[in-house]
Amino acid sequence: MNPKKYSQKDHGIQRSNIDSDIDIVAETLIGNGYQAFLVGGCLRDMLLGKTPKDFDIVTEASPNEICSLFSNARIIGKRFKIVHVYVNEKKYFEVSTFRSDVKKHDKKKFKKVNGLIKRDNIYGTINQDAFRRDFTINSLYYDLDSGIIHDYVDGMNDIKNKKLRLIKKPSLSFQEDPVRMLRAIRFETKLGLKLTDDCRQTIKNMSHQINGISPYRLFDEVLKIMHSGHGVENYKKLREEKLFEHLFPFTHKILEDFSIYDDFFICALRNTDMRIKDGLHVNPSFIYAVFLWPYYKVLEDKYINNNSRSIDDVFRHIIESQSKYISIPDFFQNTIFSIWSLQSSFLNLSKRNIHYLTKLDKFRAAYDFFYIRSQINDEFKSYADKWYEIQKNVKSVKNKKNR
Ligand code: ATP
Ligand code: MG
């Protein structure tokens, strides 16, 4: 199949918009007879007038061939093998090889289980590569040699019409990789695009398939959605599209009876969105502490308050049951535990307690959490006002670091 081609005058991307360090990589690949294209998010973002966060290259050279061309390159990944090519000690570009998802028999390189792609390392042509991607707008190729964009999937028209469209039939695409349902939501809000109706309807019908995805992968994907700067909007969409209930099933069940937590989530996400817009650090633990809080509160009532189980026990139970859906790394678990276990201390305004709390490493995160709780619960308002004054005097270096 021949692609539609768009020259610089049609697509409008200036070479000066592209990170000039790309040339080091592009020239080596092209000079050795390989094609090299910019692909994916970087090209899509530039075409939509946004600044790309990184530049990814795709080529016909295999990972081993790429490595042999650069002195500082290494292969990473198993599900997708890609090469990191370093242009200096700290900076690298991701270079991947054209892939194909047409049925192959080499189980070592390509593996589908119940329609789900588990391994995808069959290399192919640019044409095949274009059709194994998710959305049309993510499947455009900017030839680094000629500056021409190659479009196999009518993605340029979708960019023009602000349409988010899957390349394959939605049911097939989501069966192959249910994470695409989360990506659909993230791109829709982040890029201000409109998802096609059939795609939206299919998400609702297939949302339960998100549980076929590894809980480790879901941790990253959920974080990307919540830390995109559009957390409020994304959360609402996750609920509407019936994805939230499969990501946080315990929380979801509680939400049905206690809708106040919906306000709590929105308040927390609004706060996170603002922090991201202001360029402040956001700790991944925080948002998980927020989403699992209703679950903790219910179990606190049931077990901790009558001393039938310890707080550690309850905490372990929550993490274990949630981890079947989304796996939370140990490092973040500790912060979640600190945030929750410190909450009652904010009701104690004695000098001694203030001194103790403000010295703690997790004070900032725990305070922010308490503040959000106070926004939806009048009981805590007067305490939160006092802590607001107190925390002003806690060093700002710490502020940035801890949350
Ligand atoms: P972001 O701005 O979030 O980085 P992106 O589109 O660049 O968006 P990446 O995860 O960096 O997302 O992936 C790079 C490209 O790889 C995508 O643009 C898309 O073409 C392809 N891709 C990524 N994930 C999938 C997937 N789950 N299924 C099919 N293609 C995918
Ligand atoms: Mg990207």
Side-chain angles (χ1 to χ4, degrees):
M1 184 193 169
N2 287 327
K4 284 191 188 166
K5 291 194 179 174
Y6 295 85
S7 65
Q8 200 275 327
K9 113 176 135 26
D10 303 320
H11 61 65
I13 293 176
Q14 305 286 343
R15 196 70 187 199
S16 58
N17 298 141
I18 302 169
D19 186 333
S20 58
D21 287 337
I22 275 282
D23 291 341
I24 307 170
V25 185
E27 278 165 17
T28 304
L29 285 167
I30 296 163
N32 282 279
Y34 299 109
Q35 287 180 300
F37 296 87
L38 287 181
V39 70
C42 61
L43 187 50
R44 173 200 70 209
D45 290 353
M46 284 192 288
L47 289 167
L48 288 166
K50 298 183 188 293
T51 310
K53 64 173 168 27
D54 44 29
F55 289 88
D56 296 336
I57 300 173
V58 66
T59 176
E60 59 201 326
S62 70
N64 286 333
E65 285 168 336
I66 300 167
C67 280
S68 70
L69 295 178
F70 298 93
S71 56
N72 210 351
R74 77 194 162 96
I75 298 178
I76 59 149
K78 181 173 168 203
R79 190 174 176 276
F80 289 111
K81 272 189 189 153
I82 52 175
V83 183
H84 283 175
V85 177
Y86 283 79
V87 289
N88 60 43
E89 265 178 26
K90 287 191 189 132
K91 185 173 176 184
Y92 64 83
F93 291 103
E94 272 188 20
V95 184
S96 55
T97 306
F98 294 139
R99 285 189 176 79
S100 160
D101 66 1
V102 291
K103 283 198 185 81
K104 294 276 172 90
H105 302 292
D106 190 340
K107 292 269 181 328
K108 268 196 193 146
K109 293 181 179 164
F110 189 82
K111 193 172 159 198
K112 255 189 178 185
V113 179
N114 301 330
L116 186 86
I117 299 174
K118 292 276 193 189
R119 196 170 299 140
D120 182 6
N121 281 313
I122 297 274
Y123 304 118
T125 61
I126 180 170
N127 191 333
Q128 290 166 329
D129 190 80
F131 286 94
R132 63 106 193 149
R133 291 177 185 269
D134 50 2
F135 296 94
T136 60
I137 58 162
N138 286 342
S139 188
L140 295 164
Y141 296 78
Y142 175 96
D143 185 340
L144 283 160
D145 195 12
S146 64
I148 290 174
I149 289 182
H150 297 217
D151 179 2
Y152 292 84
V153 293
D154 218 9
M156 288 295 273
N157 261 327
D158 289 337
I159 293 255
K160 196 172 96 199
N161 298 319
K162 304 247 172 204
K163 201 151 110 187
L164 187 56
R165 186 167 62 86
L166 281 159
I167 295 169
K168 291 183 188 148
K169 200 172 148 221
S171 55
L172 174 64
S173 188
F174 292 147
Q175 191 184 13
E176 282 181 356
D177 187 1
V179 159
R180 292 173 186 163
M181 296 191 265
L182 299 178
R183 288 171 61 85
I185 288 177
R186 185 159 62 85
F187 292 140
E188 195 180 26
T189 57
K190 168 176 147 171
L191 304 168
L193 304 176
K194 180 136 175 28
L195 198 58
T196 56
D197 293 339
D198 60 340
C199 178
R200 193 181 309 283
Q201 191 50 47
T202 311
I203 294 181
K204 280 202 181 92
N205 298 341
M206 293 181 70
S207 59
H208 60 282
Q209 295 209 11
I210 201 73
N211 290 141
I213 294 298
S214 125
Y216 299 98
R217 196 169 164 218
L218 281 186
F219 174 80
D220 292 336
E221 293 297 331
V222 167
L223 212 56
K224 277 191 201 163
I225 279 212
M226 296 306 164
H227 285 179
S228 65
H230 299 271
V232 173
E233 238 180 306
N234 285 340
Y235 162 71
K236 287 181 181 167
K237 278 187 201 273
L238 285 181
R239 299 230 24 218
E240 272 162 32
E241 314 301 354
K242 307 206 169 302
L243 281 160
F244 188 83
E245 62 203 64
H246 299 291
L247 295 169
F248 294 96
F250 306 102
T251 302
H252 182 260
K253 235 177 153 359
I254 299 165
L255 266 177
E256 284 174 357
D257 296 327
F258 301 95
S259 62
I260 185 78
Y261 288 120
D262 191 47
D263 300 337
F264 174 62
F265 294 164
I266 287 176
C267 197
L269 287 163
R270 197 173 291 134
N271 181 286
T272 299
D273 287 350
M274 254 151 48
R275 288 186 68 89
I276 289 166
K277 287 203 177 81
D278 291 344
L280 294 173
H281 177 67
V282 280
N283 186 326
S285 324
F286 194 84
I287 208 65
Y288 283 96
V290 166
F291 282 131
L292 294 173
W293 178 244
Y295 191 20
Y296 173 78
K297 288 304 280 176
V298 165
L299 297 189
E300 181 189 51
D301 241 21
K302 201 165 162 189
Y303 299 117
I304 304 174
N305 291 348
N306 62 17
N307 292 323
S308 64
R309 283 172 80 173
S310 70
I311 180 169
D312 294 82
D313 238 21
V314 164
F315 183 72
R316 227 171 300 125
H317 175 77
I318 293 171
I319 295 293
E320 260 168 35
S321 36
Q322 177 61 38
S323 294
K324 294 191 184 102
Y325 302 87
I326 303 175
S327 170
I328 301 167
D330 289 358
F331 177 76
F332 298 123
Q333 291 177 21
N334 295 338
T335 308
I336 297 173
F337 184 72
S338 302
I339 290 175
W340 289 351
S341 56
L342 290 174
Q343 288 308 298
S344 56
S345 303
F346 286 93
L347 303 180
N348 177 350
L349 287 160
S350 70
K351 267 205 180 112
R352 195 157 160 248
N353 187 52
I354 291 171
H355 183 77
Y356 162 75
L357 260 192
T358 52
K359 288 275 174 296
L360 292 178
D361 198 30
K362 297 291 179 274
F363 166 72
R364 173 63 42 185
Y367 161 73
D368 283 351
F369 196 91
F370 183 73
Y371 172 78
I372 289 159
R373 290 178 65 211
S374 77
Q375 298 286 96
I376 57 148
N377 190 336
D378 286 341
E379 253 179 79
F380 302 140
K381 277 223 159 67
S382 63
Y383 291 97
D385 288 346
K386 297 221 170 69
W387 281 102
Y388 175 76
E389 294 303 322
I390 296 163
Q391 59 85 37
K392 275 186 186 167
N393 300 320
V394 179
K395 272 202 204 110
S396 63
V397 184
K398 248 188 155 185
N399 290 1
K400 278 201 171 176
K401 203 178 78 195
N402 286 339
R403 159 105 158 78

